Amino acid sequence: MLTPFDAAAILIVLAATLGYLNHRILKLPSSIGLTVMGLVASLLVIGLDHLLPGSDVGEQVVGFIAGIDFHTTLMDGMLSFLLFAGALHVKWDDMRRGRWPIIGLSTGGVLLSTAVIGFGFHYVAGWLGLTVPLIWCLVFGALISPTDPVAVMGVLGRTDVSPTLKATVAGESLFNDGVGVVVFAILLEAALGTEPLSVGHAGALFLQEAGGGVLLGLAVGWIGYRAMRSIDEYNVEVMISLAVVMGGYALASQLHLSGPVAMAVAGLLIGNKGVADAMSDVTRDYLLKFWSLIDEILNAVLFLIIGLEVVAIPWDPRLVTLGVAAVPLVLLARVIAVAAPLTLLKPILSLGRLAPVTLIWGGLRGGISVALALGLPDGPARSIALAATYVVVLFSVIIQGGTIERILRRMDTGSDKPTGSAPAC
């Protein structure tokens, strides 16, 4: 039996080895390269025992990969670090100018996308002869709607879009993650019959988790900021940032608040006010480099696991067909979810003509969607949602992530300038 340390060691060694090969040979962006190589490695492992009669090596490796509790690993471990690290580098001034699109996209956009995908998925599944209750289709819509902040910010770091648009995309992906998880939890309770699906109950739960997450993030971030400001010792200040992340996320879980939202808010506070007012140059350099390294390591492991998790997918031809059909459905929902808020907000703020392309094609799905799908209870709906999720995520990371930079470079970035601004608070 492999211990958790053994499993972590295997994943780190694999990530380092495949990352090295990608850097030397494939030269793909890290998230794409590791996902592709993890996928290829999984497929080779699955076929290993067929190539070597009498061998059970492939079966053992498949058992190890299938035994990785990706849902717990990401949702209760990696996600807090990834969101905090990502939020550290988002400039508040840029994000403030794009605050209305961020609010619209991360709330109304997620709800609209969930509805479009849910009803569309229900129709497509029925057309393929698969019986999936509408409520479970809406659960799938909720888990696939949030864009992955890790994948999105990795792409934007290599593009030349305006700071306000970049902050809008990053801010949306940070907050729609938390909103999507809350909507997913509400719909899952209704699907399981534990709570009735009512506007009142859903609204109260949403306000508790999302609103409470914002308040908790402000509280723990402010405590961390004040502690850092009172001393000048980079080792201790880095530990304080770790305490904010781990303690804050654990507290959010105990209080039934949104940990992802809390970590995004805390990261924004420390990454802006903390970096500007509470740290010496030495501390600032050490803290930002520390979190950049944490982000890179966890990012590599995350996308490697996404590639390896192919062994957990039930490969039924109808499920694969449904997954392929879900790709244009998810893109259509993204178009509607982006176009509606941007159209409503156009009189007060325009993000430039690159905004729709960046937000739609750059709205990548990633580990969060896979983790939520893997966390569904056993049953036919789980197999269907898992297969569709995996196909959509692979398309998103490999195709969208691999082409967004090229698409944006071919467009006239010189015209991508806001033509207005939101009124000041």
Side-chain angles (χ1 to χ4, degrees):
M1 292 290 293
L2 291 176
T3 66
F5 180 82
D6 294 332
I10 292 171
L11 290 173
I12 290 293
V13 170
L14 276 175
T17 303
L18 296 180
Y20 174 82
L21 293 174
N22 177 57
H23 184 76
R24 289 297 302 270
I25 301 171
L26 298 181
K27 301 186 184 301
L28 294 170
S30 177
S31 59
I32 299 171
L34 286 169
T35 302
V36 170
M37 288 193 289
L39 173 63
V40 171
S42 293
L43 295 175
L44 290 175
V45 162
I46 292 173
L48 185 62
D49 291 342
H50 296 286
L51 298 174
L52 300 174
S55 170
D56 64 347
V57 175
E59 183 180 343
Q60 292 180 22
V61 176
V62 168
F64 161 71
I65 297 171
I68 298 174
D69 190 347
F70 185 42
H71 179 268
T72 300
T73 300
L74 178 60
M75 302 303 295
D76 297 338
M78 297 169 65
L79 186 58
S80 59
F81 294 93
L82 291 168
L83 288 172
F84 182 86
L88 278 179
H89 302 286
V90 179
K91 299 301 181 185
W92 175 251
D93 288 340
D94 295 329
M95 188 173 169
R96 181 174 172 272
R97 283 192 288 270
R99 64 190 181 278
W100 297 118
I102 291 171
I103 293 171
L105 290 166
S106 61
T107 54
V110 169
L111 294 173
L112 191 56
S113 174
T114 297
V116 172
I117 294 172
F119 283 96
F121 195 74
H122 182 67
Y123 173 80
V124 174
W127 183 71
L128 290 173
L130 295 168
T131 303
V132 188
L134 177 60
I135 186 63
W136 283 105
C137 294
L138 291 170
V139 168
F140 170 71
L143 70 86
I144 205 65
S145 288
T147 54
D148 192 329
V150 180
V152 173
M153 288 187 285
V155 169
L156 289 183
R158 305 187 304 274
T159 58
D160 186 27
V161 298
S162 71
T164 301
L165 177 55
K166 187 177 293 188
T168 299
V169 177
E172 183 224 350
S173 64
L174 285 170
F175 287 105
N176 74 7
D177 165 50
V179 172
V181 171
V182 173
V183 174
F184 169 81
I186 293 170
L187 291 171
L188 182 60
E189 284 185 351
L192 295 174
T194 56
E195 292 287 349
L197 182 59
S198 66
V199 176
H201 172 73
L205 186 57
F206 182 86
L207 183 61
Q208 173 191 328
E209 295 223 7
V214 170
L215 295 177
L216 179 63
L218 287 172
V220 297
W222 181 257
I223 291 170
Y225 160 74
R226 296 297 298 180
M228 291 176 181
R229 190 175 181 180
S230 66
I231 62 173
D232 183 17
E233 172 53 53
Y234 69 86
N235 286 317
V236 178
E237 291 180 68
V238 169
M239 282 193 288
I240 290 172
S241 69
L242 275 171
V244 167
V245 174
M246 301 180 73
Y249 202 84
L251 184 58
S253 298
Q254 293 298 318
L255 297 176
H256 302 289
L257 306 178
S258 175
V261 171
M263 289 305 98
V265 172
L268 284 170
L269 196 156
I270 291 179
N272 287 272
K273 192 168 181 60
V275 166
D277 302 334
M279 303 176 194
S280 65
D281 291 341
V282 173
T283 297
R284 185 181 303 114
D285 184 58
Y286 271 92
L287 186 137
L288 293 178
K289 286 181 177 177
F290 170 81
W291 281 103
S292 178
L293 181 60
I294 292 292
D295 188 44
E296 286 295 323
I297 293 173
L298 294 183
N299 190 4
V301 173
L302 171 64
F303 285 98
L304 172 63
I305 295 177
I306 290 175
L308 294 174
E309 282 288 346
V310 67
V311 299
I313 309 303
W315 289 107
D316 180 291
R318 289 191 301 171
L319 297 186
V320 176
T321 303
L322 181 59
V324 172
V327 171
L329 177 61
V330 170
L331 288 173
L332 173 63
R334 181 65 178 172
V335 170
I336 296 172
V338 167
L342 291 189
T343 301
L344 291 174
L345 294 170
K346 194 171 184 179
I348 62 172
L349 177 68
S350 173
L351 296 174
R353 73 180 188 90
L354 283 187
V357 174
T358 305
L359 288 164
I360 293 169
W361 198 247
L364 309 185
R365 273 66 175 182
I368 293 166
S369 295
V370 176
L372 292 176
L374 286 168
L376 291 172
D378 290 334
R382 182 182 188 273
S383 300
I384 292 171
L386 193 55
T389 299
Y390 201 79
V391 173
V392 171
V393 168
L394 283 183
F395 176 88
S396 178
V397 173
I398 297 173
I399 305 301
Q400 292 178 243
T403 58
I404 182 65
E405 183 178 2
R406 194 178 315 145
I407 290 172
L408 292 178
R409 282 182 176 176
R410 287 182 178 179
M411 299 179 72
D412 182 12
T413 56
S415 64
D416 183 35
K417 303 208 185 303
T419 58
S421 60
C425 290

